[in-house]
Amino acid sequence: EAPWIYRQRLGCPSTSLQSQSTRSSKVKRAVSSQMGLFGVLPFLLVSCITFLLILIRRRDATKGKLPPGPTPLPLVGNLLQLNIWDIIASFQKFQEQYGSVFTVYMGSRPIVVLCGYGTIKEALIDNAEAFGGRGLMMGMDESIRDYGVVSTNGERWRQLRRFSLTTLRNFGMGKRSIEERIQEEAQFLVEALRKTEGHPFDPTFYLSHAVSNVICSVVFGQRFEYEDKQFVFLLDVINKSFRLMFSTASQMKNFFPGLMRILPGPHQEVPKYMKKLINFISQRVQIHRESFDPNCPRDFIDCFLAKMEQEKENPTSEFHNENLAVTVLNLFFAGTETVSTTLRYRLLILLRYPEIEAKVQEEIDRVIGRNRSPSLEDRSQMPFTDAVIHEIQRFIDVSPLAPPHSVTCDTHFRGFSIPKGTTVVPFLSSCLHDPQHFQTPRKFNPQHFLDERGSFRKNEASLPFSTGKRVCLGEGLARMELFLFLTTVLQNCHLKSLQEREEIDISADVRGSSKLPPPYNLCMVPR
Ligand code: HEM
């Protein structure tokens, strides 16, 4: 006969021969065994959790003494203590609680977080070699993770980084300098803005097209009309894959990589988009090959093809088709969203502070005038504009967390032992808001970058591009764009808000670990 509790569940009738008393004693026994079960279950659960915690602690003890942090649970790690919609706020809380180096667990993976300028400098600059590895970038598609410059390590990364830096520094890129390419694009941007004829519009489209065109010009040797079908296709695919890679489902890969690999969801679409992008780039490479002249490289792809030619006898060369396609893809991903978000956010801040816009325009008129395009040489004579550009980058903090690093060897740091291969995340936001380096860290204040005489003053804690061996490879290019786009637009247009300035909200829309300006419209009036 099946035990009572199962018969109840299975809906079996109780036998009619059983007397009332036998039935009631059976009921009592069943109830007491059920109660026993409920008493035992929590005990078993607590024992299992304790056992797993001990295992985690023992494993960490054998791995080294990691910095302190919130107590992780088995399997989920610190998932329950982290606000995955606002990781920045969670990290700020942990920094207050545990200090400038703490450990959080993403699932069963420990991640060491570095906070504040002193700590980040000591790790990324003073111990550059140890902290210069790239950690596993979970959000990135597996088909491209092993190639290119952003997510690789060792010789591959070293060679591709050196090559990309040299090429972006303008050597061997044909007749036109990168500065000229940006100046040209800035003029196209102003022309497009003029066509809005003072009507309200959302600047996102114009700014992202202008910024993407700079990368197109550097990489493909060609800019596109903003309505060009190929260009619109390229930007659409980049945009969609960017969103998917930073979606919550993709972020959950950090916690449960194995599970997320098989679970359905938007993150499973990423490889499809990657394939489209790689196909697009491969077609462009093929077109380049047909008109390639090794003595006159026109752009990044030509320079790479020339390097492939030079190294064709070397069987271990890193200059091959896969690395070419993914490095180009890396430049698009790393160099478009960051710059265009900065430009978009910057216009919003200037709408909020029209007196600052007026002061920048006064400097533009005095140094550049209205009859020629701004050039990089002008920057050194424009301390106020330079300070505003730096302060906007500090204040808006578009990359609050650097992508994951990893330690390349067992590392002793501030009394802790971090085993080789451990993921380390520089919390750049904590640097940009470090109260020891900025007088009013949470307020927009260009004085942070000016001395008493009004000259530009560098601030070592201002690290929006990170620092050390992995410092942003496009920093030089980005700084050129940020200066030339701003000065060209303000030389030609006034910004007009649709709201009273006091009503303009400049606080960021935080999504996971990214910060974006709130959506807004504005008008541009020709000067
Ligand atoms: C406002 C604009 C930009 C910001 C705030 C920015 C910020 C960053 C940050 C924080 C990193 C991570 C550094 C680290 O791992 O510690 C990075 C890496 C990188 N950035 Fe940028 N970036 C910008 C523009 C660009 C542009 C225009 C390009 C390319 C043309 C670019 C290409 C890269 C690449 C390739 C890496 C990976 C470097 C490596 O792993 O060796 N970035 N950037």
Side-chain angles (χ1 to χ4, degrees):
E1 196 184 345
W4 177 81
I5 193 154
Y6 295 139
R7 270 197 279 128
Q8 287 297 312
R9 277 222 201 111
L10 294 167
C12 301
S14 30
T15 141
S16 58
L17 293 173
Q18 278 171 331
S19 69
Q20 199 65 30
S21 65
T22 352
R23 215 177 289 147
S24 73
S25 70
K26 275 198 170 182
V27 169
K28 269 187 210 154
R29 248 187 292 139
V31 169
S32 69
S33 76
Q34 209 181 357
M35 298 253 300
L37 200 60
F38 282 123
V40 165
L41 262 183
F43 173 74
L44 278 176
L45 207 66
V46 170
S47 311
C48 283
I49 291 175
T50 318
F51 179 65
L52 285 168
L53 280 178
I54 290 169
L55 275 187
I56 289 177
R57 295 259 169 217
R58 274 188 54 189
R59 188 195 57 184
D60 291 346
T62 53
K63 273 188 169 182
K65 187 173 159 258
L66 285 172
T71 307
L73 287 174
L75 305 176
V76 296
N78 294 119
L79 179 64
L80 303 181
Q81 293 114 312
L82 273 167
N83 177 357
I84 56 163
W85 311 112
D86 190 349
I87 302 239
I88 310 304
S90 302
F91 279 10
Q92 273 162 1
K93 209 177 75 191
F94 294 151
Q95 182 186 356
E96 282 161 24
Q97 241 173 311
Y98 302 103
S100 60
V101 197
F102 60 83
T103 309
V104 283
Y105 280 81
M106 301 270 182
S108 53
R109 239 167 18 110
I111 288 176
V112 173
V113 182
L114 308 172
C115 310
Y117 173 69
T119 314
I120 290 181
K121 177 188 166 287
E122 193 178 325
L124 302 193
I125 299 178
D126 303 344
N127 293 286
E129 202 56 52
F131 285 88
R134 178 62 79 214
L136 197 56
M137 296 182 74
M138 290 291 190
M140 199 177 228
D141 189 54
E142 284 162 39
S143 62
I144 61 167
R145 218 158 45 191
D146 293 338
Y147 300 101
V149 68
V150 171
S151 51
T152 51
N153 278 303
E155 201 45 35
R156 173 160 297 176
W157 167 74
R158 229 182 312 282
Q159 297 238 8
L160 294 174
R161 182 168 171 108
R162 194 181 311 135
F163 168 81
S164 306
L165 265 178
T166 318
T167 310
L168 289 180
R169 272 189 198 137
N170 241 351
F171 302 119
M173 288 257 295
K175 293 191 192 81
R176 296 182 61 224
S177 68
I178 292 185
E179 178 179 8
E180 275 175 77
R181 292 168 206 254
I182 304 172
Q183 281 171 326
E184 177 191 54
E185 197 54 46
Q187 292 301 336
F188 279 111
L189 174 65
V190 167
E191 210 175 286
L193 295 177
R194 280 218 179 96
K195 287 190 189 147
T196 61
E197 296 180 334
H199 297 301
F201 66 97
D202 176 347
T204 313
F205 165 88
Y206 297 93
L207 298 174
S208 69
H209 282 49
V211 170
S212 306
N213 250 341
V214 170
I215 303 274
C216 284
S217 175
V218 170
V219 171
F220 301 138
Q222 155 189 20
R223 71 171 295 278
F224 295 87
E225 290 303 318
Y226 290 177
E227 297 78 23
D228 185 289
K229 277 200 182 114
Q230 288 190 60
F231 188 51
V232 172
F233 165 82
L234 177 70
L235 298 196
D236 185 53
V237 178
I238 290 183
N239 211 333
K240 282 187 179 137
S241 29
F242 212 89
R243 278 190 202 173
L244 286 174
M245 279 194 203
F246 287 91
S247 66
T248 312
S250 290
Q251 296 304 309
M252 289 310 276
K253 277 181 163 178
N254 280 311
F255 289 89
F256 313 113
L259 185 67
M260 293 311 287
R261 203 170 290 139
I262 49 172
L263 272 189
H267 59 293
Q268 303 291 10
E269 299 276 295
V270 177
K272 198 175 81 189
Y273 287 109
M274 287 304 127
K275 213 167 160 196
K276 284 185 184 181
L277 287 171
I278 296 286
N279 282 346
F280 182 90
I281 294 168
S282 306
Q283 279 167 16
R284 292 268 138 194
V285 171
Q286 192 46 40
I287 296 170
H288 273 67
R289 277 211 170 95
E290 284 156 17
S291 55
F292 174 59
D293 173 2
N295 299 315
C296 183
R298 298 155 291 188
D299 49 42
F300 189 91
I301 291 183
D302 271 357
C303 293
F304 204 101
L305 290 175
K307 193 84 181 159
M308 279 167 81
E309 190 66 25
Q310 261 177 31
E311 298 212 355
K312 66 178 178 219
E313 304 301 335
N314 175 4
T316 59
S317 170
E318 292 299 346
F319 295 89
H320 50 68
N321 287 331
E322 285 83 357
N323 275 336
L324 168 55
V326 179
T327 306
V328 167
L329 196 60
N330 288 161
L331 297 183
F332 269 99
F333 270 101
T336 49
E337 199 63 24
T338 41
V339 180
S340 66
T341 303
T342 307
L343 295 179
R344 190 161 86 248
Y345 215 147
R346 171 198 274 185
L347 294 184
L348 181 68
I349 291 177
L350 292 178
L351 287 172
R352 175 73 182 76
Y353 297 100
E355 68 282 7
I356 290 183
E357 180 199 355
K359 231 174 143 180
V360 171
Q361 279 171 331
E362 184 272 312
E363 204 170 54
I364 291 173
D365 290 350
R366 185 162 39 81
V367 177
I368 307 167
R370 305 266 181 109
N371 301 321
R372 67 166 175 90
S373 295
S375 72
L376 294 174
E377 262 187 25
D378 299 319
R379 190 162 44 183
S380 60
Q381 295 169 63
M382 301 174 69
F384 186 74
T385 306
D386 213 6
V388 168
I389 291 174
H390 277 77
E391 175 63 359
I392 288 177
Q393 266 205 291
R394 184 200 73 80
F395 179 78
I396 67 177
D397 183 18
V398 285
S399 302
L401 298 172
H405 287 222
S406 72
V407 281
T408 54
C409 53
D410 289 346
T411 302
H412 293 279
F413 186 72
R414 299 207 162 182
F416 305 108
S417 327
I418 309 175
K420 178 179 174 176
T422 305
T423 302
V424 173
V425 171
F427 186 20
L428 298 179
S429 187
S430 66
C431 227
L432 299 177
H433 296 101
D434 192 328
Q436 287 180 3
H437 292 265
F438 298 99
Q439 223 173 18
T440 53
R442 300 277 155 201
K443 271 180 73 180
F444 175 70
N445 177 8
Q447 291 302 326
H448 286 141
F449 293 92
L450 289 168
D451 66 15
E452 316 72 51
R453 287 176 299 131
S455 303
F456 178 76
R457 176 179 56 171
K458 263 192 158 184
N459 189 319
E460 56 185 4
S462 175
L463 297 176
F465 297 98
S466 189
T467 185
K469 290 216 173 274
R470 286 283 179 169
V471 63
C472 173
L473 189 150
E475 176 174 356
L477 173 62
R479 287 200 189 278
M480 286 190 224
E481 292 187 73
L482 295 179
F483 178 76
L484 293 173
F485 278 126
L486 179 77
T487 46
T488 312
V489 169
L490 291 189
Q491 182 188 43
N492 291 282
C493 308
H494 265 308
L495 313 178
K496 212 173 111 198
S497 169
L498 308 179
Q499 292 164 280
E500 290 300 319
R501 59 173 288 184
E502 292 76 19
E503 288 169 15
I504 300 173
D505 180 11
I506 56 170
S507 45
D509 249 356
V510 182
R511 298 196 192 148
S513 61
S514 67
K515 283 183 164 188
L516 295 172
Y520 68 97
N521 284 353
L522 84 166
C523 304
M524 290 271 186
V525 185
R527 290 183 72 201

